[in-house]
C-alpha cells in the first residue's frame, strides 16, 4: 500500500514537499515514481527514482524545480517542489515499479508501475 500526503494550497513561487509512505513489500527493491493529473487532462509523468536513489528521472517541465528522493529505512519517497507554478496544479500520485531491474533507468511510463497510491491535491494560485 502507498499513502501519499503533503498536498495543499500554495502561492506561485512557493514550495511543497510531498511524501509517499509504503507498507508491505520490499520497498528498497522497487523503483518509485510520481505522476500527476490535472482536471480534464491525462495523467503525466513527473519524476522517478531508482531503488537505491542513485538514479533519477524528471519530466522536462519540472527539471530544476522538483527533487525526488527516498529513504528506504522509512519506506518513504519524497517530492520536493520548488518555484511552483499554476500549471503544476494537479492531483499527485506516487507509484511503485516492482519490475524495475538494475540496468534500466527509472521509468517514465505509467504502465510500468504496478501499485498506486491515492492522490494528494496540489493547488498553486497565481
Amino acid at each position: 500500500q502507498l499513502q501519499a500526503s503533503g498536498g495543499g494550497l500554495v502561492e506561485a513561487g512557493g514550495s511543497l514537499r510531498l511524501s509517499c509512505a509504503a507498507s508491505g513489500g520490499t520497498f528498497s527493491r522497487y523503483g518509485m515514481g510520481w505522476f500527476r493529473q490535472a482536471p480534464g487532462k491525462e495523467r503525466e509523468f513527473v519524476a522517478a527514482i531508482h531503488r537505491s536513489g542513485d538514479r533519477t528521472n524528471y519530466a522536462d517541465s519540472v527539471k530544476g524545480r522538483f527533487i525526488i528522493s527516498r529513504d528506504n529505512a522509512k519506506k518513504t519517497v519524497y517530492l520536493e517542489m520548488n518555484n511552483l507554478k499554476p500549471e503544476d496544479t494537479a492531483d499527485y500520485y506516487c507509484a511503485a515499479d516492482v519490475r524495475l531491474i538494475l540496468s534500466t533507468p527509472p521509468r517514465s511510463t505509467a504502465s510500468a508501475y504496478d501499485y498506486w497510491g491515492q492522490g494528494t491535491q496540489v493547488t498553486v494560485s497565481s
Side-chain angles (χ1 to χ4, degrees), residues 8 35-39 44 86-93 120-124:
F35 291 76
R36 67 187 181 186
Q37 188 167 16
E44 66 174 1
E87 51 263 43
D88 294 318
T89 295
D91 290 328
Y92 283 72
Y93 299 86
T120 184
Q121 190 173 51
V122 172
T123 303
V124 184

Side-chain angles (χ1 to χ4, degrees), residues 6-58:
L9 174 64
V10 64
E11 291 185 351
S15 298
L16 279 176
R17 189 194 198 202
L18 305 184
S19 300
C20 175
S23 59
T26 309
F27 180 78
S28 61
R29 296 176 63 180
Y30 305 154
M32 296 298 296
W34 286 96
F35 291 76
R36 67 187 181 186
Q37 188 167 16
K41 295 187 177 181
E42 293 187 353
R43 188 170 297 190
E44 66 174 1
F45 170 73
V46 176
I49 188 167
H50 219 283
R51 299 174 180 181
S52 61
D54 59 337
R55 281 169 282 172
T56 56
N57 187 10
Y58 294 93

Side-chain angles (χ1 to χ4, degrees), residues 74-125:
K74 295 182 178 179
K75 295 187 176 182
T76 302
V77 62
Y78 305 97
L79 184 68
E80 182 179 341
M81 306 186 294
N82 302 305
N83 190 20
L84 282 160
K85 304 175 181 181
E87 51 263 43
D88 294 318
T89 295
D91 290 328
Y92 283 72
Y93 299 86
C94 60
D97 180 358
V98 304
R99 294 168 286 159
L100 182 66
I101 60 176
L102 284 175
S103 60
T104 303
R107 299 195 281 191
S108 60
T109 53
S111 60
Y113 290 78
D114 306 278
Y115 299 101
W116 293 80
Q118 90 295 351
T120 184
Q121 190 173 51
V122 172
T123 303
V124 184
S125 63

